[in-house]
């Protein structure tokens, strides 16, 4: 088996030189599904896995814009349309200076499996740019978004490809992009999700990734007769996903002791309360400041240039970015008594870190399962747009909760081993089966 896996990974490395995050994401899936494929020759014959690592379409384009000084700026825009086997391409747009094709291909690849797990009909994609919204004026962000959409609008549409938010892309950016799409195409459609409530957005979409991740962890805890009540939680990040993870954890009686950004983390040993969380929301969504500023206000500790994983906690919620928990961080978490990890971010744990969690038999699921609530609620936003109706907060939240329970069930079904649920195998195989069978049904495409 391992020879087959290594041969396949050699092919991936040869065809995609230097794209390390993409190799990492593919390897995780291949290790899970290769034994399954061996037992089901129809997938081998159709070269399904070989097809899945090749995007259906890759679009790379120039994004020129004028900054506030009147100087010309040039960024690079991308959209990776990975798979449309089960529905229109769907996935977020990342705006961050680190964005490159390897990172977007890893995200698009994972999105295919994640979207399949949601039970909704969505294919997988990811896009973005090396544009850095940090430190830019609203006017500059708008100029960039308009230029980005001027090119991207040729390739997307409500039945073709429906982008959404991700790192650096929130409600403000989606608004500017939607406005430009509407202007060029002269149509008001659900071409993006994460829209404002007045113009086609869904209630609960901003909350969905964080809430969904907490619902998923609740399900994992239930398998061991446990719950979130009274648990101490370490959360990383302080953006969209982190904020609503904290909100739901507070509601369910857990104590959140950390939040971070790329400069460092705050440690509040008494737990961040609702009032403090509101300050974080103001700081991050309106003032666009640094998490350090909260430390003074909350009278808590701040650790510069460090990640929160050496703080003792029962549950860790990595909600910032990829590879933010390495092998040492994982060992520290386990040593300190961590019993579960809820990945709000995409691929936040390195493969060595994942091994540490699995060896210790703690509750660990990959982000493609635990953070799928965001895209699932995007799917619900698409449904509401098609119906030209909007559902209540309770209705959307109920559907989100049901979807997270259904994702957990799929992971258990395909990942149950004696005495342990291997959520990595479960999520990968469940996602694979749905997409692979659809590809076989549709012939050589
Ligand atoms: P935001 O831009 O709202 O927030 C990102 C947070 O992570 C910020 O606190 C940011 O700090 C921090 N961060 C980003 N990059 C790095 C880095 N390289 N090192 C350290 N910290 C970093 O993004 P989201 O909350 O939307 O996304 C967070 C994660 O969740 C990502 O992995 C994303 O792919 C994933 N995700 C998002 C979904 C969504 O619906 N938004 C859905 C599913 C997954 P700083 O401000 O200093 O950069
Ligand atoms: O990684 C993700 O799932 C997202 N950024 C959300 C994608 C979406 O289409 O809502």
């Amino acid at each position: 088996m391992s020879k087959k896996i290594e041969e396949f990974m050699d092919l991936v490395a040869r065809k995609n030189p230097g794209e390390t995050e993409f190799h990492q994401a593919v390897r995780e899936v291949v290790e899970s599904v290769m034994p399954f494929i061996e037992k089901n020759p129809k997938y081998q014959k159709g070269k399904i896995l070989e097809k899945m690592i090749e995007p259906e379409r890759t679009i790379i384009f120039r994004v020129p814009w004028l900054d506030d000084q009147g100087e010309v700026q040039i960024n690079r825009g991308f959209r990776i349309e990975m798979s449309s086997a089960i529905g229109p391409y769907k996935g977020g747009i990342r705006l961050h200076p680190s964005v490159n094709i390897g990172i977007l291909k890893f995200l698009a690849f994972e999105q295919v499996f994640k979207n399949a797990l949601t039970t909704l009909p969505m294919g997988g994609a990811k896009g973005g740019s090396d544009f850095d919204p940090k430190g830019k004026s609203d006017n500059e962000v708008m100029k960039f978004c308009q230029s980005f959409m001027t090119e991207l609008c040729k390739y997307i549409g409500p039945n073709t490809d429906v982008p959404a938010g991700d790192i650096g892309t929130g409600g403000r950016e989606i608004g500017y992009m939607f406005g430009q799409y509407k202007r060029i195409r002269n149509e008001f459609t659900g071409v993006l999700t994460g829209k404002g409530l007045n113009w086609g957005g869904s209630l609960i979409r901003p909350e969905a990734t964080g809430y969904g991740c907490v619902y998923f962890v609740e399900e994992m805890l239930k398998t061991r007769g446990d719950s979130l009540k009274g648990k101490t939680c370490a959360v990383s990040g302080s953006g969209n996903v982190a904020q609503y993870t904290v909100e739901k954890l507070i509601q369910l009686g857990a104590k959140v002791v950390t939040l971070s950004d790329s400069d460092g983390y705050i440690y509040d040993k008494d737990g961040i309360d609702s009032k403090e969380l509101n300050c974080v929301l103001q700081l991050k969504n309106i003032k666009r400041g640094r998490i350090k500023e909260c430390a003074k206000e909350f009278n808590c500790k701040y650790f510069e240039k460090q990640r929160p994983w050496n703080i003792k906690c029962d549950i860790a919620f990595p909600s910032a970015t990829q590879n933010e928990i390495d092998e040492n961080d994982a060992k520290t978490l386990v040593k300190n008594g961590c019993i579960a990890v809820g990945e709000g971010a995409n691929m936040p744990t390195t493969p060595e870190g994942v091994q540490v969690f699995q060896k210790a038999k703690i509750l660990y699921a990959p982000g493609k399962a635990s953070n799928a609530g965001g895209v699932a609620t995007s799917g619900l936003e698409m449904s509401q747009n098609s119906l030209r109706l909007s559902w209540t907060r309770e209705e959307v939240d109920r559907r989100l909760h049901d979807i997270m329970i259904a994702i957990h069930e799929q992971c258990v079904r395909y990942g149950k081993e004696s005495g342990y649920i291997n959520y990595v195998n479960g999520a990968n195989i469940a996602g694979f089966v749905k997409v692979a069978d659809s590809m076989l049904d549709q012939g050589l495409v």
Side-chain angles (χ1 to χ4, degrees):
M1 183 57 56
S2 69
K3 185 155 169 274
K4 279 232 149 137
I5 292 171
E6 292 317 317
E7 274 170 15
F8 191 84
M9 288 313 301
D10 283 347
L11 171 82
V12 174
R14 233 178 16 253
K15 286 191 121 184
N16 308 280
E19 297 175 4
T20 50
E21 291 87 358
F22 182 54
H23 304 169
Q24 182 184 334
V26 172
R27 177 179 280 277
E28 187 214 87
V29 168
V30 171
E31 288 179 349
S32 291
V33 303
M34 196 64 97
F36 183 79
I37 291 176
E38 290 282 292
K39 282 186 231 140
N40 294 276
K42 62 178 177 179
Y43 300 127
Q44 275 180 64
K45 190 155 175 285
K47 297 218 169 143
I48 295 298
L49 207 49
E50 287 84 344
K51 277 194 200 165
M52 279 182 175
I53 59 159
E54 202 59 54
E56 288 180 14
R57 193 173 298 102
T58 302
I59 301 144
I60 305 181
F61 50 98
R62 181 199 295 165
V63 188
W65 55 280
L66 273 185
D67 70 16
D68 288 349
Q69 284 68 49
E71 203 179 305
V72 175
Q73 299 288 340
I74 296 130
N75 287 103
R76 186 174 294 168
F78 302 87
R79 187 73 179 163
I80 316 290
E81 296 181 334
M82 193 58 114
S83 169
S84 61
I86 66 166
Y89 306 109
K90 180 86 196 88
I93 291 175
R94 179 172 291 193
L95 300 180
H96 193 273
S98 63
V99 161
N100 61 38
I101 192 147
I103 289 181
L104 293 182
K105 273 164 73 177
F106 118 62
L107 289 162
F109 181 74
E110 293 221 315
Q111 199 81 44
V112 174
F113 296 84
K114 182 194 304 194
N115 293 5
L117 290 170
T118 66
T119 71
L120 303 174
M122 298 181 288
K126 200 83 185 190
S129 173
D130 57 359
F131 173 77
D132 186 0
K134 242 184 252 137
K136 303 287 191 300
S137 68
D138 279 353
N139 182 56
E140 288 175 323
V141 170
M142 182 175 74
K143 290 278 173 58
F144 167 82
C145 289
Q146 290 180 338
S147 180
F148 182 79
M149 184 51 85
T150 300
E151 182 62 24
L152 186 68
C153 77
K154 299 168 188 167
Y155 309 100
I156 62 176
N159 297 309
T160 313
D161 183 353
V162 183
D166 193 75
I167 291 178
T169 305
R172 173 182 62 171
E173 291 73 20
I174 293 292
Y176 295 149
M177 288 181 195
F178 183 80
Q180 186 73 351
Y181 180 90
K182 184 161 59 75
R183 195 169 173 210
I184 297 176
R185 299 280 294 256
N186 193 26
E187 52 181 31
F188 194 113
T189 65
V191 67
L192 293 158
T193 58
K195 299 186 290 299
L197 287 178
N198 290 328
W199 39 280
S202 172
L203 287 160
I204 299 285
R205 177 61 189 90
E207 293 88 340
T209 312
Y211 279 19
C213 187
V214 175
Y215 294 150
F216 191 90
V217 169
E218 254 190 325
E219 292 307 302
M220 292 205 295
L221 288 169
K222 273 190 206 159
T223 66
R224 296 193 176 170
D226 208 345
S227 79
L228 280 161
K229 204 162 177 54
K231 295 288 186 298
T232 299
C233 303
V235 178
S236 68
S238 48
N240 173 267
V241 178
Q243 291 167 13
Y244 291 101
T245 297
V246 176
E247 183 170 282
K248 186 50 77 178
L249 285 171
I250 295 173
Q251 279 173 22
L252 295 178
K255 182 165 94 170
V256 178
V257 291
T258 66
L259 275 173
S260 73
D261 59 25
S262 54
D263 291 334
Y265 76 91
I266 55 166
Y267 172 53
D268 186 342
K269 69 174 180 359
D270 302 322
I272 292 159
D273 62 24
S274 302
K275 211 170 123 239
E276 290 169 336
L277 177 61
N278 256 330
C279 293
V280 175
L281 263 68
Q282 289 285 323
L283 175 76
K284 287 292 172 183
N285 306 346
I286 296 159
K287 203 173 144 212
R288 298 180 192 274
R290 310 306 300 158
I291 199 72
K292 176 160 81 180
E293 296 166 42
C294 291
K296 283 188 219 118
E297 224 161 298
F298 304 175
N299 196 21
C300 69
K301 285 193 182 146
Y302 174 70
F303 296 87
E304 183 88 20
K305 287 280 159 239
Q306 289 183 49
R307 301 187 293 223
W309 312 126
N310 55 359
I311 296 294
K312 188 173 162 51
C313 66
D314 301 308
I315 309 175
F317 286 91
S319 310
T321 193
Q322 63 273 4
N323 293 329
E324 54 168 317
I325 297 182
D326 64 18
E327 184 175 12
N328 278 332
D329 297 325
K331 282 183 178 158
T332 308
L333 283 164
V334 169
K335 189 172 80 201
N336 283 339
C338 177
I339 57 164
V341 179
E343 294 194 335
N346 286 307
M347 206 169 74
T349 311
T350 64
E352 297 78 18
V354 172
Q355 272 191 13
V356 171
F357 293 148
Q358 291 187 325
K359 234 173 113 192
K361 298 218 181 313
I362 70 165
L363 295 165
Y364 170 78
K368 60 168 80 78
S370 52
N371 73 33
V375 73
T377 308
S378 280
L380 301 177
E381 182 171 329
M382 290 166 73
S383 303
Q384 293 168 79
N385 292 163
S386 297
L387 292 166
R388 297 192 190 280
L389 284 174
S390 19
W391 296 330
T392 62
R393 216 183 143 78
E394 292 69 30
E395 171 76 10
V396 181
D397 195 28
R398 184 186 59 74
R399 286 179 187 261
L400 166 65
H401 203 155
D402 287 349
I403 287 171
M404 297 316 296
I405 292 171
I407 296 173
H408 184 266
E409 277 168 3
Q410 295 175 70
C411 291
V412 173
R413 177 172 166 211
Y414 286 98
K416 209 171 170 88
E417 294 171 2
S418 62
Y420 184 61
I421 301 164
N422 186 328
Y423 286 91
V424 175
N425 284 347
N428 287 334
I429 297 171
F432 176 84
V433 170
K434 181 167 180 183
V435 176
D437 286 346
S438 306
M439 289 168 78
L440 287 175
D441 289 346
Q442 292 169 32
L444 190 55
V445 287

